[in-house]
Amino acid sequence: MNHPLLFRTPTGGRVDRSRTLRFTFDGQAYQGYAGDTLASALLAHGVHLMGRSFKYHRPRGLLAAGAEEPNALVAVIRDAARRTPNLRATQVELYDGLIAESQNRWPSLAFDVGAINDFLSPLFPAGFYYKTFMWPRQAWHRVFEPVVRQAAGLGEPPTLPDPDRYAQRYAHCDVLVVGAGPAGLAAALAASAGGGRVVLCDEQPELGGALLDEPASSLGASINGQPASRWLADAVATLSARPNVTLLPRTTCFGYFAHNMLSLNQRLTEHLAAPAPQAPRERLWQVRAREVVLATGAIERPLVFPGNDRPGMLLASAARSLLNRHGVKVGSRVVLVTGCDAAYITALELQAAGVTVVRILDTRPAAAEHVTRAALAAGLMVSANVTVLGTSGRRRVTGLTLARLAATGEVSDRESLACDTVLMSGGYTPTVHLFSQSRGQLRFDAAQQVFVPGVSAEREHSAGACRGTDGLRSTLDEGAAVGAAAAFAAGSRGVLASYTVQALEGSLRGQPGVLPQPGSHPPARAFVDFQNDVTSKDLALAMREGFESVEHIKRYTTNGMATDQGKTSNMNALGFVAKSKAITVPQAGLTTFRMPYTPVTFGSLAGYDRGDLFDPVRPTPSHDWAVAHGVVFEDVGLWKRARYFPRDGEDMHAAVDRECLAVRASVGLFDASTLGKIAVVGPDAATFLNRLYVNNFSTLAVGKCRYGILTREDGFVYDDGVIARLADEHFHVTTTTGGAARVLQMMEDYLQTEWSDLQVWLTSTTEQWAVIAVQGPKAREVLAPLVSGLNLSASELPHMALAHGHLGDIPMLLMRVSFTGELGYEINVPSGHGQRAWEMVWAAGQAYGMTPYGTEAMHVLRAEKGYVIVGQETDGTATPDDAGLSWAIAKSKADFVGKRSLARPTMLATGRKQLVGLRTVDPRLVLEEGAQVAATPNQKVPMRLIGHVTSSYHSAVLGHSIALAMVADGRARIGQTLYVPMPEGEIPVTVTTTVFYDTAGARLHD
Amino acid sequence: MLLIHCPYCGQRPELEFRHGGQAHVARPADPSATSIDEWADYLYLRENPKGLHAERWRHVHGCGRFFNALRDTTTDVFVSTYRCGEPRPDGGSAR
Amino acid sequence: MINLASAGLVAAPESRRWVLRGHAVAMAAAGAAFGSPLPTRAGEVAQAASSIADTARAALWLGPDEVWFITPVEDGAALEGALRTALAAVPHALVDISHRQVGLLLQGTDPAWLLNAVCPLDLSLAAFPVNCCTRTLFNKAEIVLWRTGPAAFRLETGRSFSGYVVGLLAEIAREQAA
């Protein structure tokens, strides 16, 4: 222990002095108390240096005490995978054994090589990134960007997968109250008293907000005659006891979305030394609230003067919070620079705690009389009308130079003060982030010089300091009034309350901007945005270079960007811009408040959607069987489909060749259950399908199937599939696997919105049926002994016929259809019987050398027959004729979806791409799918390309490669030689018809 | 996430719905009788108003019904939702 | 292995299910065969005695022209026969979805809490009372939810989605245990 606890008060604060916690920062051991933050515990040791700035690597200490902290960003490390960067030390709750590291420094925080940037800073003006590294272009990726990223940046993310669990939750309530300070507590009490559902969330570990900063001593405020801390404890106890109230501490409301949906990030285990392995680390809440109460408080602004960023220079509110919550003194000799009355209270409390307050420097002619009087009565020295010309000290502030500022802008009476701490207060900015996210209109309050909520866009009410309300009693009363009103608006009952308060308080008002300096250019940098190292000079430069809009100035200078989003800097920048241009603040405009309010982990947003639960995995009925038989799966949408079944170390190529040959020579078994299925039932079923599909279904006999093509209204192929007529008024429509949902959607659309007079209804039956395809010359012999009551002969059950029967004891719809060109059947059984039916067929097939095959072989087998796959041969711009399917169109029909478009001149013009076959001269050469096709060889770039390869495989049964391609006027080019240009050289190909195998189609009808 | 009033089920979360494009675009009774321009208009031309827009939604993960809605595209406020076949409640242009 | 019991989860008894779609006249005819008028209000569930002692049939309103029938498998033939007879002369679609769906019963201490981890509906008793039903989403899976008691739900999901739904429920239940 190198650092004694010199800066801890002997008593007081809300920390538990009976529980000592050990921790390390940059390898150095320290100790703190339960209830400390990392920041307060370090400060108790006098450690202010906690980070290096983003661009200049300047030493930085704590500025604030809450979410607005821009400087003290640290990494907290639990193990190799649990390294959380960019945490604000002010929000890191201490636990025993905590390990934290500073960021953006090398080799150490105290000695940072990158600090050379600080001395080279004239080289890094605003717009640095836009002006530099323009040439040579290649160097950007290889040299400049890596170097810049290394030198300027925030913390490092962990490299291992996140081992933690994250939870999510939807919730509904009558009133959501954001912020549990005095306004939020009063609102929650009022809103919940009548029984309405109330959720109260606060980002801090303890509910209370600003009330937690009240001293327990007689200096502190009292509410309804009780000390504030007593009232707070009672209020929290009352709320906890109400079953209709959900209290969410450690929960940041970070996003306000449409229709009163708000996102909350709850930290569940971050504060624990040893979280239970079961416990989720964080929980994302999505709360739908009838009414929302925003009680998000206000954030103090720093003052902008040269050298305002040294370690030991803090917001006055931070010093007060550290003293009263944590029993920590920010320093020994404090100078307060303020343009705001509220900071006087801090000075008084520090003095009472034994800290030397060297002087109060007020930038205004005078403070309010009552705070001045209190300060003088306590023996404090106050200088008014001053500005700060500069500060000294590198790793800790050592002194400050002030001067008297005349109304003319002249400075006089320069004076230097020695100190180890400078407190700053430029007044408070209402926290309107969530209000603004909700698209509420902000209003500029000229008296307070801040933006406050104007017109709400949602059912929302703001209360307290976030609305510009000043004073504890007003805040409590307003919270109660708004809470009761919100409950009433939500349809429940609220109970109004009014409060009495006794306190010495100072107004939160101040003047945003930059402290006036003699001369046009201050001698040293005055920081506006601490996190992004933006100075008043940078802003001035941006304006000089012609950036008018504050949105442009923000992007050019990076003011208000990154994780901090300008919580402490936006108003000062605006004030400066407005003053420089001699316009009002609202004329200068306001940048957009974006979510999240503070950074949210990816884990929280991902929630349950990771690993095995990332997406539903849809298994087919043969899934377990396939796994037992060594399947390799393919993801098709959410389905797991068998891709191929390798044997004895086969690669995919060998397995697919074997599977294809088995189907051609004997019999194969294939799970086609994923095909979409829709029951189209009703008296107008045939009429409905006639209007949708290009085919004619009136002429389809009961017991027969037909291959159907569906185009969209634009005439392009949308889906295809076999459609079976089970009864006069009952069609069994199949779709592609991927098209199942969208075809049903399209059908419902036409039925509900265009043809609602039709008496026909749709039901998805995709999952009702398991579909087992038995394909190959031996298919009939395999099935015959299994089916009862059916004659499978070609005359009784020809190609495209169907029959009802039983497979063993399982009821079955048997369709004689083929996507292989072989004799084939598709057995439909209720899916709960699917696995058993599969195993029955498999057992029966053993005598015939039955081979299971997957999607890969299926693709080859159908390509050998020239059967198209929608989405592979077609791409959303192919008509049925382009795909060689015009034979399916019922020309006699007056109308069907797409018919009008197919009559457009461009659909009939020459030059359209048409489906053809391609043969390579070298039979072993398999073209690449997607390869382009050229009419003539040896073209120069840019070539004139006339088509592309859509499917390409090695065909084992043919002994050569085959390909399908869409080629301009392809059918007129059959016999021609075309060229496929590839990086390795041009491949000559011959155009053929699309059918490569069994061109007569005899095998289909065996 | 928007909160959408399904005319059949009441207020439900947006997740349960699918947007269906502009409302009141009727398919011509006899497409073959339309001119090429009329057909192109039906197929491709849609409004993109700033303000009230009549649009279709389907409560796809609920009752499955298509219905129409008047939504303000600048604020996402639903002024009204109504069943297919009913006229646009504000009397606005229905092509 | 997933511990369903700890999630208060059991598989529903084997059931038969049909979707009936049609106009009011079909619904009226089917109600007579079902044994009680079919639900006509959004999210309503009607129940009637099944042909098997001590069991009930249920009819769930899932859309203005869509009602689901769910009944124990032993009652299946009786119910289907009665429905087909009653509907013979009325335009309608009655489609068997017995195997399309998988049913789960949730009856732990707070099943609404389990569901609300990923289901975006308000499942408080006031908003979603006993014998209320709806189609909705359970994260990335579509489900049908039927509240059978103050702390009991029947959840129906597509067969191929059931592994996902059960796995996710179990994951959420671990959190409840933590």
Side-chain angles (χ1 to χ4, degrees), chain C residues 13-16 18 50 52 55-58 70-77:
Chain C
E14 198 184 344
S15 306
R16 296 283 313 269
W18 292 267
S50 96
I52 309 298
T55 65
R57 308 163 165 174
I70 303 179
T71 199
V73 69
E74 299 82 3
D75 180 46

Side-chain angles (χ1 to χ4, degrees), chain C residues 156-174:
Chain C
E156 292 265 328
T157 185
R159 177 173 291 269
S160 65
F161 285 94
S162 59
Y164 171 76
V165 169
V166 169
L168 189 48
L169 278 168
E171 172 73 13
I172 299 159
R174 282 174 58 172

Side-chain angles (χ1 to χ4, degrees), chain A residues 37 82 87 152 168 191 313 400 467 469-470 491 545 625 644 727 761 778 781 824 832 868 928 977:
Chain A
T37 63
R82 291 179 173 88
L87 294 174
Q168 296 186 337
M313 302 184 71
L400 168 147
R467 192 169 165 266
T469 301
D470 220 339
E545 293 189 354
W625 183 95
Y644 58 99
W761 294 275
K778 302 290 185 194
E781 290 165 64
V868 305
E928 254 186 59
T977 298

